Amino acid sequence: MPQHTPDPVDVFAWIDAAESARAEAGLVRTLRPRPETSTLLDLASNDYLGLTRHPETVRGAREAAERWGAGATGSRLVTGTTELHAELERSLAAFCGFEAALVLSSGYAANLAAVTALSGRGTLVVSDAGNHASIVDGCRLSRAETAVIPHSDPDTARKTLAAHEGRALLVSDSVFSVDGDAAPLADYAAAARDEGAALVVDDAHGLGVLGEGGRGALHAAGLAGAPGVVATLTLSKSLGSQGGAVLGPAKVIRHLVNTARTFIFDTGLAPAAAGAALASLRLLQREPERADRAREVAAQLYGRLTASGLTAARPDAAVVSVRAPSASAALQWAADCREAGLSVGCFRPPSVPDGISRLRLTARADLTGDEIDRAVGTILRTAPAGATDR
């Protein structure tokens, strides 16, 4: 007698409800492959210095791939370290003012490495509420006690550290990716130093934009190379490539080589990405004015948009954040800008810790005056009801 085969259970049926809830809240995210060339004016990427397509950056990637191959072939501790990786690490450390550096496959991996390897059970990690998701995930994976303090609040950081006995870590972005505001690094450093804690700073949005010639926020604050300070950064923003790095005292870097799981168990950065980043770094050293220009463009965007009634956060680096009335309004605003030939970022929950949706504009050093005019005009022309105070 034939046996009845029951209908299979849809074990992912719960996803349908989750998708419906996202759609109703205006929080659906989709992938949009970009073409090789585009007529869109780009204010959405993190290519702050306009180096991603610069001939020298591209040539650096091409020559590295031709010399070392398309992939790293293995983890950094096996076959994935080339002489090119070592040269990039020396150059990054020297440029930013640190004793040593370690290159990883992404900025995300760099933050996970630094936070987890420098903390652990019995350690207190004090984390700014505005920190990037990679820091948040590093705290979760660290098995340390984590205290999230209010955004840019050095007094609470100091009190929290003072109440803890034992090893501690204060972690913060240098420039926060949502509003583009700078952390109170000097005050954070003083709190960490006075309370015997290490300071770890994610300088992803500071490198190439802040500090002398783009040497970063820690260099600007006089903290580069300080014994209790560690920096993380990404090679995918101002340097127009891919990858991340941790910079700090040589003994910290040696410790990460031996303990950081996102370094030990991950394939090394592809040689092409290392070559591109090194070429961009050399270009920035020859043309330090690119950092000043990126900040200048951000100031112009902010000044003109707020003068026309939009609400925006004053930029401390190259990110200009413009508030939208709602998540759905932000999504439609970004779509309308795109239809008009302008690509802008759209930040909505859960990417924004305060729940306020925004257009996120990234200033680029290579934007012309006409392009700035075009961008401002498009944003104002497509602004939804309730976006302006006039």
Side-chain angles (χ1 to χ4, degrees), residues 223-284:
L223 297 170
V229 175
V230 170
T232 65
L233 49 85
T234 178
L235 312 178
S236 62
K237 294 179 172 58
S238 287
L239 297 185
S241 182
Q242 192 77 22
V246 182
L247 287 68
K251 65 181 177 182
V252 168
I253 300 307
R254 291 195 301 269
H255 177 71
L256 265 63
V257 168
N258 285 276
T259 62
R261 294 173 67 85
T262 53
F263 175 81
I264 296 171
F265 298 106
D266 194 15
T267 299
L269 184 67
L278 187 57
S280 288
L281 187 62
R282 289 168 175 165
L283 181 60
L284 176 57

Side-chain angles (χ1 to χ4, degrees), residues 3-11:
Q3 292 185 338
H4 172 69
T5 303
D7 292 335
V9 175
D10 183 359
V11 297

Side-chain angles (χ1 to χ4, degrees), residues 60-292:
R62 183 180 65 249
E63 291 178 351
E66 290 173 347
R67 183 178 180 187
W68 299 104
T73 75
S75 70
R76 289 285 310 273
L77 287 170
V78 184
T79 58
T81 296
T82 68
E83 294 172 4
L84 183 63
H85 290 84
E87 183 179 3
L88 175 58
E89 287 166 343
R90 289 192 297 269
S91 297
L92 283 169
F95 180 73
C96 296
F98 286 84
E99 188 177 7
L102 185 68
V103 167
L104 294 91
S105 62
S106 71
Y108 209 110
N111 274 339
L112 292 183
V115 175
T116 59
L118 296 177
S119 59
R121 295 189 189 279
T123 304
L124 173 67
V125 179
V126 178
S127 178
D128 189 293
N131 281 342
H132 188 264
S134 55
I135 294 178
V136 174
D137 288 351
C139 292
R140 291 170 175 168
L141 291 170
S142 70
R143 301 182 181 181
E145 176 189 351
T146 298
V148 179
I149 60 170
H151 181 48
S152 292
D153 188 344
D155 290 338
T156 300
R158 180 183 291 274
K159 292 175 184 176
T160 305
L161 290 170
H164 175 77
E165 293 184 5
R167 191 148 47 98
L169 205 65
L170 174 55
V171 188
S172 178
D173 286 2
S174 65
V175 177
F176 296 93
S177 61
V178 174
D179 274 337
D181 56 315
L185 289 185
D187 291 335
Y188 274 170
R193 182 178 59 250
D194 293 347
E195 301 303 331
L199 176 66
V200 175
V201 178
D202 177 2
D203 204 19
H205 298 277
L207 177 68
V209 179
L210 299 178
E212 180 188 351
R215 285 172 170 78
L218 286 161
H219 191 279
L223 297 170
V229 175
V230 170
T232 65
L233 49 85
T234 178
L235 312 178
S236 62
K237 294 179 172 58
S238 287
L239 297 185
S241 182
Q242 192 77 22
V246 182
L247 287 68
K251 65 181 177 182
V252 168
I253 300 307
R254 291 195 301 269
H255 177 71
L256 265 63
V257 168
N258 285 276
T259 62
R261 294 173 67 85
T262 53
F263 175 81
I264 296 171
F265 298 106
D266 194 15
T267 299
L269 184 67
L278 187 57
S280 288
L281 187 62
R282 289 168 175 165
L283 181 60
L284 176 57
Q285 288 176 291
R286 292 201 320 271
E287 300 178 4
E289 65 275 7
R290 286 179 179 266
D292 297 332

